[in-house]
Amino acid sequence: MSAEFQSLEILVDNQATGGLVAEHGLSMLINVGGKKLLFDAGQNDALEQNTKALGVNLMHIDAFALSHGHYDHTGAVDFVLQENPEVAVYAHPKIFSQRFSIYPGKAPKEISMPAEERLIVGNLPDSHLHWIREPKQITDNVWLTGPIPRFQTLEDTGGPFFIDPEGKIPDPIEDDMAMWIETPKGLLVVCGCCHSGLINTLNHIVAVSGQKRIWGIVGGLHLKNASKQRLETTANVLRTYNPELMVPCHCTGESAITYFKENLNSEIRTGYAGYKLKAE
Ligand SMILES: [Fe+2]
Ligand SMILES: [Fe+2]
């Protein structure tokens, strides 16, 4: 079988169709050359319910990558590893960080990976747990970025994120990473929350892969708090890469999606649980 990209299916998202469950979270199933990769695990039980509804059996996945250690991407790690205790897990060690979001006038909200999930991942044998500290190829045509350098000063992590409940120490979300897949049409970039910023993420992937052609961008882009200037600059950079397709979802934010639809030539389809992108 050729090792080419076959499909990407959103299993969990803030929006859903076809009787699937929606929750604030993200999980995607990617099929490349007969290998199945799970990217993130949603927040609660949407992954379990939606995989059942879609007839997806996680027993058959070959790799499981965590984009970062926020609760809405790691909540069903226990379910994934129950279904498939042998799967190879990929993540950055900072997924275990304690972290909070603190909005003015509101109590700090803990947004860490849940303690139970931390314990399960922490107890995995070395042979199953692969720490990603730099760009790494995980199967034919599929790469993980590892930590993404933050050169673009307009980009921040996208929210009031801290590693202490007092809100004194900002959380750089160093563990944030994206995936890219080499396809005959160009790179398919897959983001979890894109806390490193979309410009930083794309520039890093292009620099590391040595390929400038981006076919598509799928995932959470965390732009709901982005300034007009940041959106304009992001759109300018997107115009230079000129992806054929964008599937923003999860934490991207309505206003950013509308802005891209109005200002880019790329085809932009808002993602949802049940959405499937296939290689034509
Ligand atoms: Fe998220
Ligand atoms: Fe996040």
Side-chain angles (χ1 to χ4, degrees):
M1 188 180 283
S2 105
E4 280 179 11
F5 169 77
Q6 286 158 318
S7 65
L8 177 151
E9 189 168 18
I10 301 177
L11 301 176
V12 177
D13 184 62
N14 300 39
Q15 298 184 62
T17 56
L20 298 179
V21 175
E23 70 178 21
H24 175 74
L26 187 66
S27 178
M28 300 187 239
L29 182 70
I30 296 137
N31 201 321
V32 178
K35 288 239 170 27
K36 290 184 166 56
L37 319 165
L38 187 70
F39 187 78
D40 289 342
Q43 179 185 163
N44 287 316
D45 56 2
L47 185 64
E48 183 168 358
Q49 296 197 46
N50 292 349
T51 47
K52 280 194 181 123
L54 292 164
V56 170
N57 191 337
L58 296 181
M59 229 168 70
H60 303 310
I61 57 170
D62 301 281
F64 175 30
L66 293 169
S67 66
H68 64 303
H70 272 160
Y71 72 108
D72 53 324
H73 297 252
T74 56
V77 161
D78 56 339
F79 170 66
V80 176
L81 293 173
Q82 232 168 52
E83 295 289 289
N84 191 335
E86 298 300 319
V87 72
V89 177
Y90 298 87
H92 185 277
K94 284 274 164 79
I95 56 165
F96 293 146
S97 294
Q98 277 244 315
R99 37 193 32 155
F100 301 86
S101 70
I102 310 176
Y103 286 90
K106 288 197 175 163
K109 181 187 176 200
E110 188 169 353
I111 55 171
S112 321
M113 181 175 183
E116 186 196 347
E117 322 298 325
R118 276 184 268 168
L119 197 69
I120 291 169
V121 175
N123 284 332
L124 285 172
D126 288 350
S127 53
H128 291 46
L129 180 57
H130 307 273
W131 290 130
I132 303 292
R133 297 183 175 90
E134 55 196 25
K136 189 175 164 63
Q137 185 169 17
I138 59 170
T139 185
D140 283 345
N141 295 322
V142 181
W143 291 72
L144 291 170
T145 60
I148 295 164
R150 318 284 171 93
F151 293 124
Q152 170 51 251
T153 49
L154 279 173
E155 294 189 317
D156 57 21
T157 54
F161 300 126
F162 299 91
I163 57 173
D164 61 322
E166 292 79 34
K168 290 190 179 131
I169 310 164
D171 181 358
I173 318 182
E174 193 189 329
D175 43 328
D176 174 69
M177 61 180 171
M179 176 186 273
W180 79 87
I181 303 159
E182 292 171 349
T183 85
K185 291 180 169 181
L187 304 179
L188 179 61
V189 174
V190 183
C191 298
C193 268
C194 212
H195 290 297
S196 305
L198 185 56
I199 301 170
N200 286 327
T201 300
L202 295 177
N203 287 347
H204 184 58
I205 289 173
V206 165
V208 174
S209 69
Q211 296 186 43
K212 280 207 172 87
R213 215 166 115 225
I214 295 176
W215 168 41
I217 301 166
V218 184
L221 304 178
H222 223 297
L223 290 166
K224 58 184 177 229
N225 299 322
S227 64
K228 181 130 196 292
Q229 195 191 1
R230 179 174 172 183
L231 282 181
E232 279 169 8
T233 308
T234 305
N236 286 339
V237 172
L238 284 166
R239 253 178 244 113
T240 65
Y241 288 126
N242 198 22
E244 197 178 305
L245 174 70
M246 286 180 69
V247 186
C249 57
H250 179 45
C251 57
T252 303
E254 250 336 291
S255 53
I257 294 175
T258 305
Y259 185 84
F260 290 152
K261 282 182 177 164
E262 287 171 357
N263 290 281
L264 295 175
N265 291 324
S266 310
E267 181 183 347
I268 296 170
R269 308 180 206 158
T270 304
Y272 51 84
Y275 171 86
K276 193 163 184 175
L277 172 65
K278 287 186 188 167
E280 278 134 38

